[in-house]
Amino acid sequence: MHRSITRFAEQRWHCSVRSMSSAVRKRRALPSAFPVLDQPLKPIHQHVYEANLRNSSACLKKYTEFSEKVRKGGGENAIARHTQRNRKLLVRDRLRLLLDDEDFLELSPFAGLGLPYGDIPSAGCLTGIGRINGLWCVFIANDATVKGGTAYPITVKKQLRAQEIAIQNRLPCVYLVDSGGAFLPLQSEIFPDKNQGGRTFYNEAIMSAMKIPQVSVVCGSCTAGGAYIPTMAEEAVMVHRIGTIFLGGPPLVKAATGEEVTPEDLGGATLHAEVSGCVDHFAWEEKEAFSYTRNIISTLNFQLPEEEEETKKRKAEEEPLYSSEEFLGLAPKDYNYTMDVKLVVSRLTDGSRFQEFKARYGTTLVTGFAKIHGHLVGIVANNGELSYEAALKGSHFVQLCDQRDIPLLFLQNTAPSAALTLDTKQCVCVCLFQAEINTNRLKAQGSMMSAVACASVPKITVVIGGCHGADSYALCGRAFEPNFLFLWPNARVSVTAPGHASSLLLPDGEQEEEQKKQEEKLDRKLKEESSAFFSSGRLWDDGVILPQDTRKVLRDSLDIIKQQQYQLSTEKARSAVLRI
């Protein structure tokens, strides 16, 4: 009896919380009149600005080359085979039928380029977040023109990252499956470990338990491990003749039993819709399949804001006072060409308004509140080395945002190398003093790292310059699991910046010439491996974005993060135990 009363009380409490949260959604936000950040470009900035602009032009050229390469997929021959012989739609044409429009947030488009085992454009699959019936959904779409849809290690990594984003932001997930299974020569990097092939299916089960909807569209081959993706999704759609699901295809059947069988008879749409029941919807063609998928999404239990309310909100937004094109001259060529980060902030926020926090303390870190397309955010931005005072200030501000449930935006441009612990040429007293300063700095940075790691609010990181050393952890680097992490094309990601290799090597007076050669070799390696495109090719981020598009990307990211509050049912209510 006591348990029944307790359960009833819990249910009433959950209902009241849901009612309160829905009431809160209807209320208007508190009015704010943040001061304008007056940061025009001045003649003193011209030399640095022009040097940065030339570097940005070179980076933009490389960005365009990579984009064109990715757009071509597996090449002309592969595209012709895919569309003419196999009579399938190209992956981007499929997305046009699935999504409301082409204005979607593509994730890591350069993943798979420049890898030791060759170029795999877009890692063999397109992932991103787009709107279906007005609802933001993650999509994972195989591109069968790239290596016949074969999964490489980078393909698996990209799919897992998309699922991670879906879990972190509670986004519905749509799989467009057209895969030939794992690339067997690299099976040791695809199959056995925790965060490899099998993790995809584990994530599917976990997402289902979390009430994150998943829909699968079989618009090609689902062989071996790929066969589990549609069977573990909540609803599956399959296309006649081009869609197949089986663990082993016709060649394997013939080798094992001597029997000849067609792919359609072995695992086609008719078999799985009428006999096995593996799929829920039979489609005669791809266009019909995506129509089914859009209808399935419309059955999800989300209540989005009224269009009028959204339109009114967009009209009320203020554009920054300065042009976003000026970001190209503010993106630092290297750390020596860094300008005041407030110049970046003033071109990013609504009306160039910014309420700075602890403006006179720890000035090498800028913190404060602003709005981006109407979303209130807490901004944490590097403006020099992360000193003791700056780290304490950062720790305080991050905890403040966490307490108020305000998303955090990190603008990262860390110092190129760590400060030396001490200088052996100086006297003992000076060395001890320096050691104490560095010890306090380490403690403060550790405190900030803890605050960032433990903050439960959404976090977005944009690397606008350097991402080096321990300072990058305190500014929510990849290891600290931001909801999204993007790079500007000029960004550098490495343990220390190119030209600062000496900070990683122990001084050796006896072999000075040999050490110099070692430094030069390491600097060359750092220059090659620290570029934004090298990083994105290995999926260390969620994509390289153009500086002038940053505000739009942040708007989409914040809209995506906010959507989870519109899901009406996120927990399964426990039903009463009935006894006969």
Side-chain angles (χ1 to χ4, degrees):
M1 182 67 180
H2 174 70
R3 286 181 182 175
S4 299
I5 293 168
T6 306
R7 192 176 297 117
F8 178 72
E10 283 179 3
Q11 288 172 356
R12 287 289 301 272
W13 183 80
H14 283 301
C15 288
S16 64
V17 167
R18 192 175 295 141
S19 300
M20 284 192 295
S21 63
S22 62
V24 167
R25 284 200 294 270
K26 291 175 185 176
R27 293 176 187 166
R28 62 182 176 83
L30 291 171
S32 61
F34 296 154
V36 171
L37 202 54
D38 188 21
Q39 292 286 329
L41 290 168
K42 297 175 181 176
I44 197 172
H45 298 140
Q46 187 175 355
H47 171 69
V48 175
Y49 184 88
E50 288 176 354
N52 288 339
L53 198 57
R54 287 192 294 273
N55 183 64
S56 290
S57 297
C59 290
L60 181 60
K61 187 179 178 183
K62 194 168 184 180
Y63 179 94
T64 306
E65 286 173 8
F66 274 57
S67 298
E68 287 174 1
K69 191 171 188 178
V70 163
R71 284 273 176 180
K72 291 176 182 175
E76 290 180 9
N77 293 337
I79 289 171
R81 185 167 59 248
H82 183 84
T83 55
Q84 294 169 21
R85 194 179 80 183
N86 298 335
R87 300 191 180 281
K88 296 180 186 177
L89 293 176
L90 295 173
V91 66
R92 291 188 186 274
D93 293 332
R94 287 170 174 169
L95 292 175
R96 286 187 189 99
L97 292 173
L98 176 66
L99 304 175
D100 294 349
D101 50 49
E102 293 184 50
D103 186 23
F104 59 84
L105 180 63
E106 188 173 352
L107 299 169
S108 304
F110 301 151
L113 296 181
L115 298 180
Y117 46 80
D119 283 343
I120 316 294
S122 283
C125 71
L126 264 69
T127 63
I129 308 166
R131 282 192 175 97
I132 304 175
N133 297 327
L135 190 71
W136 287 104
C137 300
V138 167
F139 60 81
I140 301 173
N142 294 113
D143 185 355
T145 69
V146 179
K147 313 291 184 182
T150 307
Y152 282 73
I154 194 69
T155 313
V156 174
K157 188 176 181 181
K158 188 171 180 179
Q159 290 174 344
L160 292 179
R161 175 57 186 156
Q163 286 183 317
E164 185 185 337
I165 286 171
I167 291 169
Q168 206 170 13
N169 301 290
R170 295 195 62 88
L171 296 170
C173 191
V174 180
Y175 304 91
L176 307 187
V177 193
D178 189 358
S179 170
F183 182 65
L184 295 178
L186 293 175
Q187 65 82 29
S188 63
E189 298 175 46
I190 296 172
F191 173 72
D193 207 357
K194 177 183 173 183
N195 287 318
Q196 290 179 355
R199 191 73 178 186
T200 305
F201 316 123
Y202 173 86
N203 285 346
E204 278 196 75
I206 293 299
M207 288 161 74
S208 186
M210 292 174 67
K211 300 191 76 175
I212 296 172
Q214 296 169 91
V215 181
S216 182
V217 185
V218 182
C219 43
S221 176
C222 286
T223 308
Y228 293 106
I229 291 174
T231 54
M232 291 185 72
E234 289 163 11
E235 287 193 59
V237 183
M238 195 168 181
V239 185
H240 184 49
R241 294 199 181 278
I242 64 171
T244 55
I245 302 175
F246 34 60
L247 290 175
L252 195 62
V253 172
K254 187 174 182 180
T257 66
E259 183 183 351
E260 290 190 4
V261 62
T262 66
E264 186 66 21
D265 290 339
L266 183 63
T270 303
L271 175 87
H272 287 303
E274 297 177 5
V275 181
S276 74
C278 277
V279 298
D280 310 295
H281 306 277
F282 175 96
W284 289 101
E285 58 180 5
E286 289 195 64
K287 189 175 180 181
E288 185 184 2
F290 294 115
S291 180
Y292 274 131
T293 309
R294 288 178 60 83
N295 289 339
I296 291 166
I297 295 297
S298 69
T299 67
L300 303 182
N301 205 4
F302 281 79
Q303 190 170 11
L304 299 175
E306 295 292 335
E307 284 186 19
E308 291 178 8
E309 186 183 326
E310 285 293 295
T311 306
K312 188 178 177 182
K313 179 188 161 191
R314 294 293 181 220
K315 282 182 179 178
E317 293 165 9
E318 293 180 276
E319 286 298 312
L321 300 180
Y322 310 101
S323 171
S324 60
E325 294 297 321
E326 291 178 354
F327 280 135
L328 296 171
L330 298 176
K333 176 183 173 182
D334 60 45
Y335 195 74
N336 294 329
Y337 287 78
T338 297
M339 296 164 76
D340 192 330
V341 78
K342 289 179 187 177
L343 289 162
V344 173
V345 173
S346 64
R347 284 149 183 80
L348 203 57
T349 62
D350 292 357
S352 299
R353 296 180 181 277
F354 183 61
Q355 175 69 34
E356 193 167 359
F357 176 78
K358 283 187 184 287
R360 294 175 175 239
Y361 183 79
T363 53
T364 55
L365 188 75
V366 172
T367 57
F369 300 100
K371 287 189 176 180
I372 297 176
H373 284 284
H375 295 279
L376 180 64
V377 294
I379 295 176
V380 182
N382 286 114
N383 207 25
E385 288 190 6
L386 191 63
S387 64
Y388 166 73
E389 294 83 4
L392 286 180
K393 168 179 166 178
S395 179
H396 183 174
F397 183 72
V398 167
Q399 291 176 75
L400 186 65
C401 288
D402 190 36
Q403 189 178 34
R404 295 179 185 174
D405 286 329
I406 296 172
L408 283 159
L409 170 61
F410 295 88
L411 301 177
Q412 201 177 112
N413 182 25
T414 60
S417 62
L420 294 173
T421 306
L422 50 87
D423 187 349
T424 52
K425 294 176 184 177
Q426 292 179 337
C427 68
V428 176
C429 293
V430 174
C431 284
L432 288 173
F433 178 69
Q434 185 64 44
E436 186 179 358
I437 289 173
N438 288 335
T439 301
N440 289 336
R441 183 179 175 183
L442 284 171
K443 287 178 183 176
Q445 287 181 350
S447 173
M448 186 174 173
M449 285 185 207
S450 296
V452 171
C454 296
S456 57
V457 294
K459 298 179 274 279
I460 302 171
T461 302
V462 181
V463 182
I464 62 173
C467 173
H468 307 297
D471 287 12
S472 69
Y473 303 144
L475 269 288
C476 203
R478 186 64 147 180
F480 280 64
E481 296 190 346
N483 293 57
F484 296 100
L485 187 150
F486 301 105
L487 307 181
W488 282 3
N490 60 294
R492 292 275 176 186
V493 182
S494 57
V495 67
T496 191
H500 293 80
S502 57
S503 65
L504 301 177
L505 301 171
L506 292 172
D508 188 353
E510 294 178 8
Q511 298 182 338
E512 194 173 330
E513 192 175 330
E514 185 64 32
Q515 183 164 351
K516 194 174 181 182
K517 286 181 183 177
Q518 199 174 348
E519 273 181 38
E520 288 172 358
K521 184 181 177 182
L522 188 53
D523 272 328
R524 283 196 301 270
K525 190 176 180 67
L526 284 169
K527 189 173 183 180
E528 179 192 342
E529 296 183 357
S530 65
S531 84
F533 301 99
F534 187 94
S535 167
S536 214
R538 284 146 184 79
L539 219 85
W540 299 340
D541 51 73
D542 296 315
V544 177
I545 62 171
L546 296 175
Q548 61 268 38
D549 293 339
T550 306
R551 205 171 127 80
K552 179 186 176 297
V553 170
L554 290 176
R555 180 199 68 194
D556 289 347
S557 302
L558 291 164
D559 282 346
I560 288 162
I561 288 166
K562 190 178 180 181
Q563 180 178 275
Q564 58 188 289
Q565 67 179 275
Y566 303 129
Q567 188 173 2
L568 297 183
S569 55
T570 55
E571 293 182 13
K572 188 75 175 174
R574 290 176 292 178
S575 57
V577 178
L578 301 177
R579 298 184 182 275
I580 298 176

